[in-house]
Amino acid sequence: MMKSDILILRGAHVIDPRQGIDGVTDVVVANGKIDFVGDASHADGEVLDLTGHYLSPGWIDIHVHTYGTLGFSDPDAIGIYQGVTTFVDAGGAGIGVLDEFEATMSGLHTSLYAGPFVRPLGLIALNFLEGEIRSLGNIPLSDWVDFIKQKPGLVRYLKCNAMGNYGPGSLKISKGLAQVLGVPLYMHIGEFQQHEVTESLAMEAFRIAEPGDMITHIYHGNLGKVVDDDGKVLDIVRKAQERGVLFDVGFGGYNFTWKVAEQATRQGLWPDTISSDLQQFNVVTPVKSLANVMTAMMILGMGLNDVISRVTDRAAKSISLQDEAGTLAPGMPADITVFDMIDEPLVVADCILHKRTASQYLKPLMAFKRGKRFDSDMDRAKAESNWLVQFSEEKTPQRAKLLTGPQKVFLHDLAQALAQVAWSITPEEEFDYDEALELQRIFHATRAHHALPLKACLDAIYFSFTDHQFPIQAGLFIMCQERDSFFSRIREICADQVAVEAL
């Protein structure tokens, strides 16, 4: 083996909970894999002195939003550049758009897995009532089973929301589908978006969940909390944890309150995994990063080793990824996070802007993905172009000039197919799910008549209306455009190409 193939990370305080390592030592990487952890004074290779810093297996965030209306234009900004080497998209896609998810989300430096939503289009946001039972549609079991077989390992759990006014039936349907697919059920308890409810399904989630299933937003302060009005942890919550149901933080923009977290942790109700629920605006505040959420857990009294365990070993096991991530064992991919513990006060706000102050906080310095180094950039994710979807309404984006002739022909044919369909969306109107499904159907029906790859067809519409790449479900993306402006833009882009094709 050549010297250039070996990297010696020397002198860091290494924490690997799975192997019981907690102390200053060396880590040797060879050809993108862990060679060994220990004294490397005899080893020959490139040396990186990490004296005074901490080093752990690469952090795993099991709940982020990279795809769809809640996603980012630069998903790596909340991943590898914040010290996270692996993450799971929590519900952005459903079975109706998992092919789009895979096509548009490839090429990231951070390892990305799917936690698809039970609804065909995935999470929607916009002006949509997430608890609307009709949006589950006719669940296509064959499509789900076929996708799992064709893409083994991509799907790590099935997500559903414990909300709605139709009782626990939707949760039971979701649980049944998860069992068919052989993956855990990952249930959201907490805020209800725009859905007005008088009774939470959160307690049903605790009843339905089986060992290995996960419940996220465990410290939310909305209807259906894990504590009663006196702050006592509910018996049904205790029983769920005792039988092996996993509890996840899922901080998010609406689902973490200091009051509930303090009440629960004082009674020993700690999470099994720590996740961020990063989505668009909350990367600015209050979530900011997985490191910030980890610091919040230390404010509550969790020790550093326990925090690291919940974003490495425990996180990997929760999504059955323990053979690929979560430890520095020899032969494992060299996914590594290097960080500092900064001995300075840091104010951490919860989702209702109540604040606590940490005496020290975690700060990622760099990450290694299969041995390749990425220096941390904690401000990268905060760029408005990364989290705020802005459609170019007044002028055609410059990148539309990159569209090829076949892409323009596809756009022309898509516009013709959509010409007989009416759609509209305004801040005052309730989202029309069936309308979005129809637009989605037309997009893919048109694509079927073209030899272009799916990504090229999706890029054709993305490049026509946005300066920055936000991978949103095709039907939702089209619906977000004012109808007349949509056709006008397509005519402008396709004018020269269609004239050439007609000759």
Side-chain angles (χ1 to χ4, degrees):
M1 188 179 299
M2 297 179 61
K3 179 178 179 180
S4 59
D5 295 328
I6 299 175
L7 175 63
I8 302 167
L9 304 176
R10 177 157 291 162
H13 184 135
V14 178
I15 300 175
D16 183 349
R18 191 184 305 181
Q19 296 193 92
I21 298 173
D22 181 12
V24 175
T25 188
D26 305 325
V27 177
V28 178
V29 175
N31 291 325
K33 295 185 177 182
I34 302 295
D35 191 24
F36 69 90
V37 178
D39 180 10
S41 57
H42 63 285
D44 191 17
E46 178 187 352
V47 176
L48 179 61
D49 186 1
L50 295 177
T51 302
H53 305 297
Y54 285 87
L55 183 154
S56 74
W59 295 349
I60 302 167
D61 194 339
I62 70 167
H63 187 156
V64 300
H65 294 277
T66 60
Y67 172 83
T69 57
L70 299 176
F72 296 89
S73 67
D74 178 16
D76 277 326
I78 64 164
I80 199 75
Y81 292 106
Q82 290 193 343
V84 174
T85 57
T86 300
F87 48 26
V88 183
D89 182 88
I95 189 58
V97 293
L98 271 172
D99 56 346
E100 295 182 20
F101 169 85
E102 186 180 33
T104 57
M105 301 306 296
S106 61
L108 298 180
H109 297 299
T110 316
S111 291
L112 173 64
Y113 295 91
F117 201 75
V118 64
R119 181 190 303 116
L121 286 184
L123 286 170
I124 293 172
L126 304 176
N127 295 339
F128 181 67
L129 300 183
E130 289 289 348
E132 174 51 56
I133 191 68
R134 294 175 182 85
S135 67
L136 291 179
N138 298 315
I139 295 176
L141 281 177
S142 58
D143 290 350
W144 277 106
V145 171
D146 290 345
F147 187 88
I148 293 290
K149 288 182 178 180
Q150 293 165 7
K151 307 292 180 181
L154 178 61
V155 173
R156 291 292 155 173
Y157 56 71
L158 179 72
K159 186 180 181 184
C160 70
N161 287 343
M163 64 174 70
N165 292 323
Y166 294 89
S170 62
L171 297 183
K172 293 178 180 178
I173 290 170
S174 300
K175 176 58 184 173
L177 178 57
Q179 289 175 322
V180 169
L181 302 179
V183 297
L185 183 62
Y186 186 87
M187 288 184 278
H188 161 114
I189 61 172
E191 108 284 359
F192 305 98
Q193 287 93 35
Q194 300 182 47
H195 204 84
E196 295 183 6
V197 298
T198 56
E199 184 178 354
S200 170
L201 290 179
M203 298 306 107
E204 295 297 335
F206 288 107
R207 291 189 182 95
I208 291 168
E210 296 182 350
D213 289 335
M214 295 174 270
I215 295 178
T216 191
H217 308 315
I218 202 67
Y219 300 132
H220 77 86
N222 307 291
L223 186 65
K225 299 188 294 290
V226 298
V227 296
D228 62 20
D229 292 341
D230 295 322
K232 180 182 178 183
V233 173
L234 299 170
D235 288 341
I236 193 171
V237 175
R238 293 279 192 200
K239 290 177 180 177
Q241 190 170 48
E242 288 169 1
R243 67 175 182 269
V245 177
L246 304 179
F247 294 164
D248 177 49
V249 173
F251 197 111
Y254 305 99
N255 289 306
F256 180 93
T257 59
W258 284 117
K259 180 178 180 180
V260 173
E262 289 164 350
Q263 290 172 332
T265 55
R266 279 198 295 264
Q267 298 170 68
L269 190 72
W270 294 99
D272 297 283
T273 54
I274 298 173
S275 70
S276 67
D277 188 16
L278 277 163
Q279 54 180 273
Q280 292 187 347
F281 72 90
N282 73 27
V283 74
V284 177
T285 192
V287 183
K288 300 182 180 180
S289 66
L290 180 62
N292 190 58
V293 180
M294 294 162 70
T295 297
M297 297 312 300
M298 294 189 70
I299 292 174
L300 290 166
M302 185 178 284
L304 179 60
N305 283 36
D306 287 332
V307 167
I308 296 300
S309 176
R310 284 158 172 80
V311 298
T312 57
D313 181 42
R314 288 193 177 198
K317 289 176 179 175
S318 74
I319 55 174
S320 299
L321 204 62
Q322 62 267 31
D323 294 335
E324 302 174 44
T327 182
L328 302 172
M332 292 289 286
D335 291 0
I336 297 166
T337 301
V338 179
F339 63 98
D340 279 341
M341 290 300 301
I342 305 298
D343 289 320
E344 297 176 2
L346 179 74
V347 175
V348 179
D350 67 8
C351 298
I352 53 175
L353 301 183
H354 291 172
K355 299 175 181 178
R356 301 291 186 270
T357 301
S359 59
Q360 57 178 185
Y361 63 93
L362 293 98
K363 180 181 179 180
L365 293 181
M366 67 186 75
F368 293 85
K369 188 64 187 177
R370 297 186 181 276
K372 181 179 179 181
R373 176 176 169 174
F374 296 85
D375 290 335
S376 298
D377 183 351
M378 302 304 286
D379 291 326
R380 176 171 174 156
K382 298 177 184 177
E384 189 175 89
S385 60
N386 181 46
W387 58 267
L388 180 61
V389 182
Q390 299 184 68
F391 297 109
S392 184
E393 298 176 353
E394 296 183 358
K395 62 180 181 179
T396 302
Q398 283 294 312
R399 62 187 191 142
K401 296 179 181 179
L402 301 175
L403 295 175
T404 65
Q407 284 177 303
K408 292 180 181 180
V409 173
F410 166 76
L411 284 174
H412 172 266
D413 292 351
L414 177 62
Q416 285 192 324
L418 291 170
Q420 304 305 314
V421 181
W423 75 84
S424 65
I425 183 169
T426 69
E428 294 78 26
E429 291 178 327
E430 183 178 323
F431 179 86
D432 191 326
Y433 185 78
D434 291 336
E435 201 170 83
L437 282 177
E438 178 62 9
L439 297 177
Q440 186 82 16
R441 184 196 66 77
I442 292 172
F443 174 89
H444 284 280
T446 304
R447 183 179 71 87
H449 295 290
H450 291 259
L452 288 171
L454 173 56
K455 187 177 189 304
C457 293
L458 290 165
D459 283 346
I461 60 171
Y462 297 157
F463 283 27
S464 298
F465 294 94
T466 59
D467 291 302
H468 301 281
Q469 189 85 339
F470 283 89
I472 296 172
Q473 301 93 320
L476 299 186
F477 189 93
I478 295 169
M479 177 175 273
C480 287
Q481 313 310 316
E482 196 278 324
R483 188 176 183 276
D484 290 343
S485 297
F486 175 86
F487 290 113
S488 176
R489 177 68 54 80
I490 299 302
R491 283 194 298 270
E492 176 188 343
I493 291 172
C494 296
D496 294 340
Q497 181 64 32
V498 173
V500 170
E501 294 292 325
L503 294 177

